Amino acid sequence: MAKPGVLDSDPEVMVKKAIELKRELQRLVKSIVDDEDCSAETIDQAMESLCVLKELKLKKRSSLSLKLHNNTVTCCPDEFKCPLSKELMRDPVIVASCQTYDRPFIQKWLNAGNRTCPRTHQVLSHTVLTPNQLIKEMIEQWSKNQGIELSNTVNYIDEEGLKEADRDHFLCLLKKMSSTLSDQKAAAKELRLLTKKHPCFRVLFCDSADAIPQLLKPICGSDSFSSIHPDLQEDVITTLLNISIHDNNKKLVAETPMVIPLLMKALRSGTIETRSNAAAALFTLSALESNKELVGKSGALKPLIDLLEEGNPLAMKDVASAIFNLCVMHENKARAVKDGGVRVILTKIKNRIHVDELLAILALLSSHQKAVHDMGELGAVPSLLSIIRESSCERNKENCVAILQTICLYDRSKLKEIKEEENTHRTISELAQNGTSRAKRKASGILERLNRVVNITHTA
């Protein structure tokens, strides 16, 4: 018998091939059963035919599934498709930017370390994914009307599926974290890679109360963080960041007593890669409301602000994201102001460094009276007005005019600077006419206040 060739994907050819294989298989099996002294070659031929028949069946099933999936994706409404996968959503969730994505695809985006919305490019204030029940119900109803079973449209991978060998390997790596320096470095490097590429290994850290302390043991014993081998400190802190991405780990990681103090040490004296990843870990952890309070009370804002002032380009975005997340909580705004946050942020903005992210933080802080006082004293008004004039970013203009309105409410003397600006450039008037709806509203509020003050002065 000739060996079966490559399987054709044409449905008719596949059916004919299957019939031929079954007939040949019948002949071979009969020969094996009837002949007590059948050759090994005959058995091999039967096994080979079975394998090809199995492959044919799988190929046919895959072809039908793909056809159904392609038809579903082509005909479904655009609002039911995930912006990332372009496929019909199974588990629609909302991110902080209010955009909806299919959970596995946006989770993969976040797991890769991204901190922005893929569609709007807005920095996400948190990474919590909220189920979009309305869209989910609409998709289910549409699918039912179309006669489509959702379970057949997309093949999802269970990210928490683990083999026993994976668990054993994981425990072996943790054990090596208490061994020699070379073992620690090798284990830390592998744990970093595993928790980056395979979310299931992040889940394992939830299963044992000792897993995180074991991971951190090599860098906890030293009084001087900078004396720890650079590769080891970076790999351990980065693994901690990877673990923190998993939502179910955030509370456990933050409430492990040694974690926040260790991240603060890393912020102060680690390599720049370690310091950047420590800031990213604090950003990720602070997505949880209870963690914002925990991190703020620990004093982590001061080393974050110091690192921001230092201005290393590698760390700036992660540091700014962490400070923003923490300052969503009012108590943390007071801490950031006390730790000199306004001065550092304004200095960076004046130098046009990470203006988008830092203006967002300044807008958050402007609800704190001491912060507004500091802004006025540090010359924020001319800087903010110049950004409104120069920037093409509507979000930046909104933040600038919102901060200016708050400064004017607290300090009438600053209206003089704005009046001079109006006489020269008509910056606020221009924004009141051509800005976004929010910018127009804030700009109009400033102009009304300006007019009232002028009228009062004339009357006096």
Side-chain angles (χ1 to χ4, degrees):
M1 171 188 155
K3 288 188 177 182
V6 177
L7 295 178
D8 198 306
S9 58
D10 183 273
E12 284 189 29
V13 174
M14 289 166 70
V15 170
K16 288 178 181 177
K17 189 69 178 176
I19 293 170
E20 289 174 12
L21 281 167
K22 287 178 182 178
R23 285 174 181 165
E24 181 63 19
L25 196 56
Q26 278 181 324
R27 184 185 68 75
L28 290 167
V29 170
K30 188 174 187 306
S31 174
I32 292 167
V33 172
D34 293 346
D35 187 355
E36 292 183 3
D37 192 28
C38 71
S39 67
E41 185 182 356
T42 304
I43 297 173
D44 286 342
Q45 287 176 352
M47 289 174 65
E48 189 171 1
S49 294
L50 273 172
C51 289
V52 175
L53 188 61
K54 180 182 178 182
E55 186 182 344
L56 197 65
K57 286 287 184 184
L58 291 172
K59 195 175 183 76
K60 183 180 178 183
R61 189 183 305 164
S62 173
S63 176
L64 289 171
S65 177
L66 181 62
K67 185 178 178 182
L68 174 60
H69 170 61
N70 288 339
N71 288 342
T72 302
V73 172
T74 302
C75 67
C76 83
D78 286 342
E79 58 268 27
F80 294 169
K81 296 178 186 177
C82 173
L84 287 172
S85 68
K86 310 301 181 189
E87 296 175 349
L88 182 67
M89 290 187 282
R90 284 274 306 282
D91 188 6
V93 292
I94 305 169
V95 297
S97 62
C98 300
Q99 298 293 317
T100 297
Y101 299 92
D102 206 359
R103 186 186 293 274
F105 299 99
I106 189 62
Q107 189 67 64
K108 184 178 180 181
W109 169 266
L110 296 172
N111 290 351
N114 296 298
R115 298 291 179 272
T116 56
C117 171
R119 177 178 266 180
T120 66
H121 307 296
Q122 177 184 338
V123 176
L124 298 174
S125 59
H126 60 78
T127 53
V128 176
L129 303 178
T130 306
N132 191 331
Q133 289 300 133
L134 177 61
I135 289 291
K136 187 171 184 179
E137 288 171 9
M138 290 171 69
I139 289 172
E140 287 173 351
Q141 186 57 52
W142 177 85
S143 300
K144 185 178 178 182
N145 293 342
Q146 298 292 317
I148 296 167
E149 286 189 35
L150 287 177
S151 57
N152 292 330
T153 58
V154 183
N155 293 321
Y156 284 86
I157 298 169
D158 179 9
E159 291 189 339
E160 297 188 11
L162 281 165
K163 297 175 183 176
E164 196 60 38
D166 293 328
R167 294 180 187 275
D168 291 342
H169 184 51
F170 171 73
L171 294 173
C172 179
L173 290 173
L174 286 182
K175 190 175 179 181
K176 285 183 179 180
M177 298 302 282
S178 301
S179 186
T180 63
L181 177 61
S182 60
D183 277 351
Q184 290 173 349
K185 287 169 62 180
K189 178 70 71 180
E190 189 167 357
L191 282 167
R192 174 182 179 172
L193 292 172
L194 287 172
T195 52
K196 178 185 179 181
K197 295 180 178 179
H198 306 289
C200 57
F201 279 90
R202 297 173 201 156
V203 177
L204 284 173
F205 280 89
C206 296
D207 296 343
S208 169
D210 297 330
I212 294 173
Q214 281 181 275
L215 169 71
L216 302 180
K217 191 171 182 180
I219 63 173
C220 279
S222 177
D223 293 331
S224 172
F225 195 87
S226 56
S227 67
I228 299 165
H229 193 283
D231 291 344
L232 184 60
Q233 58 169 263
E234 185 184 331
D235 288 337
V236 171
I237 293 297
T238 308
T239 302
L240 196 60
L241 164 62
N242 295 341
I243 296 165
S244 304
I245 291 169
H246 189 69
D247 285 343
N248 292 343
N249 284 352
K250 294 187 194 302
K251 186 176 175 63
L252 172 69
V253 172
E255 292 182 0
T256 299
M258 62 187 73
V259 167
I260 304 299
L262 196 59
L263 289 173
M264 289 169 63
K265 278 187 182 180
L267 285 172
R268 291 191 179 100
S269 54
T271 65
I272 191 58
E273 290 83 3
T274 300
R275 298 168 82 189
S276 177
N277 287 339
L282 287 171
F283 163 73
T284 304
L285 290 172
S286 59
L288 205 62
E289 205 64 26
S290 61
N291 286 351
K292 285 183 175 69
E293 183 178 7
L294 188 63
V295 174
K297 282 182 176 178
S298 71
L301 273 161
K302 182 68 171 78
L304 282 169
I305 290 168
D306 290 344
L307 186 51
L308 183 68
E309 184 171 25
E310 192 177 307
N312 191 294
L314 189 65
M316 287 287 284
K317 186 158 281 191
D318 287 322
V319 173
S321 298
I323 294 172
F324 179 90
N325 244 13
L326 290 167
C327 287
V328 169
M329 178 171 278
H330 187 72
E331 292 80 1
N332 286 338
K333 293 176 188 177
R335 294 178 179 115
V337 173
K338 184 181 176 183
D339 290 333
V342 175
R343 177 186 59 79
V344 172
I345 290 167
L346 268 177
T347 301
K348 298 297 178 189
I349 288 174
K350 287 176 182 178
N351 293 327
R352 299 300 190 262
I353 297 169
H354 283 280
V355 173
D356 299 13
E357 293 88 349
L358 297 181
L359 270 177
I361 299 172
L362 209 60
L364 270 182
L365 295 178
S366 66
S367 64
H368 190 276
Q369 190 167 351
K370 177 68 167 62
V372 176
H373 175 267
D374 288 353
M375 290 178 205
E377 292 293 308
L378 293 165
V381 173
S383 293
L384 296 170
L385 288 168
S386 68
I387 290 171
I388 294 174
R389 286 198 309 271
E390 299 166 9
S391 178
S392 59
C393 175
E394 297 298 337
R395 178 64 60 90
N396 286 353
K397 291 180 181 181
E398 283 184 7
N399 283 331
C400 284
V401 75
I403 297 165
L404 285 169
Q405 186 185 39
T406 309
I407 291 174
C408 292
L409 287 172
Y410 280 110
D411 186 353
R412 280 177 53 180
S413 69
K414 301 304 172 189
L415 286 168
K416 183 181 177 182
E417 293 179 62
I418 295 177
K419 179 63 178 172
E420 290 171 356
E421 174 79 16
E422 280 299 287
N423 292 337
T424 308
H425 300 289
R426 290 182 54 79
T427 303
I428 303 299
S429 296
E430 178 69 23
L431 198 59
Q433 290 177 350
N434 301 314
T436 63
S437 57
R438 179 173 177 248
K440 285 179 180 178
R441 191 169 65 252
K442 298 291 182 182
S444 298
I446 292 173
L447 292 174
E448 286 172 15
R449 189 166 180 78
L450 201 59
N451 289 333
R452 280 204 303 272
V453 170
V454 170
N455 291 333
I456 290 169
T457 304
H458 288 166
T459 303

